Amino acid sequence: METDRFRILFATSELTPWVKSGGLADVAYGLSRALVRRGHDVRVVMPHYESLFGYGGADRLVTSTRIDGFRIDVLETKLDDLVVWLLRCPGLYARPGSPYADPTGADWPDNDVRFGVFGRSLAWLAGHAPTPPFAPDVVHLNDWPSALAAPFVARSPDRPGILFTIHNLGYQGLFGGESFRRLSALLDMDPAWWAPDALEFHGQLSFIKAGLVFADRLSTVSPGYAREILTDELGFGLAGLLQHRAEDLRAIVNGIDSEHWDPAHDRFIAHRYDADRPEVKERNKTLLQRELGLEAASDRPLAVMISRLVPQKGIDLVLDALPGILSLGAQLAVLGTGDADYERRLHAARTAHPGSVAFARGMNEALAHRLEAAGDLLLMPSRYEPCGLNQLYSMRYGTIPVVRRTGGLGDTVNAATGFTFDEPSAGALLAALRAALAAYRDPPTWRGLQQAGMRRDFSWDASAAAYERLYGELHERPAS
Ligand code: ADP
């Protein structure tokens, strides 16, 4: 057997702290750093959204290529101990907004080209020798934005192994059928890929299918979600394909960056604490209540929510349960951005219940940390949840999670550290909240819950070791 120190081309469309729309950014950063610490040689590859994180020209030009009319420069830069390759193509990536959408939240109409070129460039990098040479053992693709690399890598000789990780099956990168023709001309796609057992999905071009069909191994981010995506209910029309590939599907639960999310050293919070001093949280709570215009009452339980405001996250269940939440004496503070209707309802709730409900709209990393440090409870009533990170951050911060038992939430929260419910309804959420508040009013029980969560190890080490074993499987796979 060869060395177990792998060269990994790690593809992502988001990377904390530079550009983040959700958990993928945190995972890309935390996992790739954990792999570096374990001695692997990692290149994180991402589009260069230069307008989203003002990066100057100090980076080293590794290599360049041309894909149809687009010139792609590969710039090498460092992020802490990570080596990052940014694919610079201003016409495609230097735009305001998020990686996927304009500042109003509308998807860019040419996302097929933007992420098609990204995938094609990744495949080119995987088989190309830049200076100094970097021939990967494994190409690790994450979610639909990088998935189109898989068929290009798969058709090349002497190729690296391909791992495709599903962080959320609900986002598939679907485009009208004409998009396949457009990209065929641009990227040199094989016409045979336009088939239901390849990239076609009911007449549409599906980027995620490129990963699901052509990768050597698939993984997802919790055992619970790995089971659920094989069902019609949560398979998003892909359960049949996933069942077909079930032997190649693995589950590895996400870790957290336990330096960045550490209440004992968190630079965003005023009063730092640890499992031996969880009562210090209360001082953070009073500060936050003032900051958000809530009644500054230390004995009122504060429930927080930090989330993309989309149906997946069950924000409507919280809104429906609001009268009950308030009648139980609790306060609610929500940080998030997303669907206009949820934002409108949250604004209205704040206006109707000043002092009891707060809503901060937007992405705000510092406030997310302050909410974790100040909250008594975290609400996460997701309809589905591949892994979920906030419940992990919460447990680390002694903020007790109240979660729906789905996907990774069911795998990571149990009766020793939080409260769970099954039915996706306001009533079931309220019943769990009622049980949580009974515990809140019994300080020894509450301390026990807090300390159990705070003392758990959520660091990336164990998960990175599991990815390493999976890379080992890929390395030893028979030549195709
Ligand atoms: P998802 O990836 O589905 O959005 P996760 O729980 O896996 O859900 O990860 C979400 C990540 O994004 C967490 O790190 C969370 O703190 C962060 N986040 C979500 N919304 C906001 C926000 N409005 N401001 C700051 N951070 C946010």
Side-chain angles (χ1 to χ4, degrees):
M1 203 180 93
E2 281 198 53
T3 168
D4 58 1
R5 184 173 175 272
F6 300 119
R7 285 178 302 262
I8 303 154
L9 200 65
F10 189 99
T12 184
S13 53
E14 310 185 6
L15 185 64
T16 295
W18 286 343
V19 54
K20 167 166 167 175
S21 84
L24 174 59
D26 289 0
V27 172
Y29 177 76
L31 172 57
S32 53
R33 284 189 76 203
L35 292 167
V36 169
R37 280 197 298 268
R38 294 179 72 84
H40 301 289
D41 197 0
V42 183
R43 298 291 177 280
V44 177
V45 190
M46 183 170 74
H48 193 350
Y49 315 102
E50 37 210 301
S51 42
L52 301 189
F53 50 90
Y55 240 75
D59 314 313
R60 184 174 76 87
L61 180 67
V62 174
T63 180
S64 297
T65 187
R66 191 166 274 285
I67 293 178
D68 204 67
F70 300 107
R71 181 196 159 100
I72 317 289
D73 290 329
V74 182
L75 301 178
E76 180 172 297
T77 187
K78 291 280 279 190
L79 174 59
D80 301 329
D81 43 3
L82 285 180
V83 179
V84 183
W85 283 355
L86 297 169
L87 303 188
R88 183 172 66 188
C89 181
L92 293 178
Y93 306 128
R95 301 185 188 176
S98 84
Y100 323 107
D102 70 19
T104 73
D107 283 350
W108 293 109
D110 59 346
N111 272 347
D112 54 345
V113 176
R114 299 176 75 227
F115 293 104
V117 168
F118 181 43
R120 187 73 191 83
S121 306
L122 283 163
W124 172 78
L125 273 174
H128 177 82
T131 320
F134 183 82
D137 302 302
V138 176
V139 177
H140 187 163
L141 307 173
N142 294 282
D143 274 355
W144 77 264
S146 53
L148 205 65
F152 290 104
V153 175
R155 77 176 179 190
S156 53
D158 293 329
R159 65 178 182 81
I162 309 166
L163 172 62
F164 181 67
T165 299
I166 303 161
H167 298 267
N168 192 332
L169 196 65
Y171 296 86
Q172 302 187 348
L174 290 176
F175 301 93
E178 73 288 352
S179 180
F180 186 84
R181 278 189 299 279
R182 178 149 66 136
L183 291 185
S184 289
L186 210 66
L187 308 179
D188 182 25
M189 311 237 287
D190 185 335
W193 295 346
W194 186 249
D197 64 358
L199 309 192
E200 184 185 348
F201 184 70
H202 305 292
Q204 292 186 288
L205 167 62
S206 165
F207 271 52
I208 202 170
K209 280 188 73 181
L212 300 180
V213 171
F214 289 95
D216 302 299
R217 293 285 187 283
L218 308 177
S219 75
T220 190
V221 288
S222 70
Y225 196 57
R227 288 190 299 275
E228 288 169 356
I229 55 178
L230 302 181
T231 66
D232 287 340
E233 193 193 342
L234 288 176
F236 286 97
L238 294 165
L241 168 57
L242 286 162
Q243 285 161 16
H244 178 68
R245 296 230 50 194
E247 263 186 34
D248 296 322
L249 174 64
R250 306 284 182 275
I252 302 174
V253 87
N254 287 333
I256 65 174
D257 181 337
S258 39
E259 284 169 31
H260 190 63
W261 291 96
D262 177 2
H265 297 101
D266 191 325
R267 65 193 167 92
F268 295 116
I269 67 178
H271 302 288
R272 305 201 173 97
Y273 59 96
D274 58 25
D276 296 326
R277 302 170 292 148
E279 66 282 356
V280 175
K281 261 178 86 68
E282 222 155 87
R283 290 191 234 155
N284 292 309
K285 174 169 157 182
T286 313
L287 285 179
L288 187 91
Q289 284 170 323
R290 289 211 188 92
E291 176 186 341
L292 296 181
L294 292 168
E295 183 195 352
S298 64
D299 59 340
R300 274 192 82 179
L302 172 63
V304 302
M305 193 165 177
I306 302 152
S307 186
R308 294 183 297 118
L309 302 176
V310 294
Q312 177 200 340
K313 300 293 182 178
I315 181 74
D316 51 316
L317 302 180
V318 175
L319 284 160
D320 292 348
L322 189 60
I325 293 173
L326 297 176
S327 74
L328 288 167
Q331 294 174 326
L332 174 69
V334 179
L335 166 64
T337 173
D339 292 3
D341 189 51
Y342 294 140
E343 294 186 356
R344 189 188 51 72
R345 288 179 69 188
L346 283 163
H347 278 302
R350 182 184 57 181
T351 308
H353 307 284
S356 294
V357 176
F359 172 44
R361 182 181 175 273
M363 279 299 276
N364 186 334
E365 181 81 10
L367 184 55
H369 283 249
R370 292 204 294 281
L371 282 165
E372 292 286 11
D376 296 302
L377 301 144
L378 173 89
L379 304 184
M380 221 162 152
S382 304
R383 290 205 160 71
Y384 72 92
E385 194 58 74
C387 178
L389 294 173
N390 275 308
Q391 83 280 13
L392 305 179
Y393 301 148
S394 291
M395 287 187 268
R396 192 108 209 278
Y397 280 67
T399 305
I400 306 304
V402 178
V403 305
R404 180 152 177 265
R405 190 167 17 214
T406 180
L409 294 175
D411 290 324
T412 57
V413 178
N414 58 37
T417 56
F419 295 83
T420 59
F421 61 98
D422 288 303
E423 207 190 299
S425 71
L429 167 62
L430 270 180
L433 186 63
R434 210 170 281 122
L437 291 181
Y440 176 77
R441 303 227 149 76
D442 181 48
T445 305
W446 196 250
R447 286 280 175 270
L449 284 162
Q450 287 181 311
Q451 286 172 330
M454 294 182 81
R455 292 193 170 128
R456 264 174 67 176
D457 178 8
F458 297 112
S459 65
W460 268 105
D461 298 337
S463 304
Y467 277 103
E468 189 175 286
R469 287 192 290 279
L470 190 42
Y471 297 150
E473 280 182 40
L474 283 167
H475 196 55
E476 283 156 31
R477 79 193 193 290
S480 52

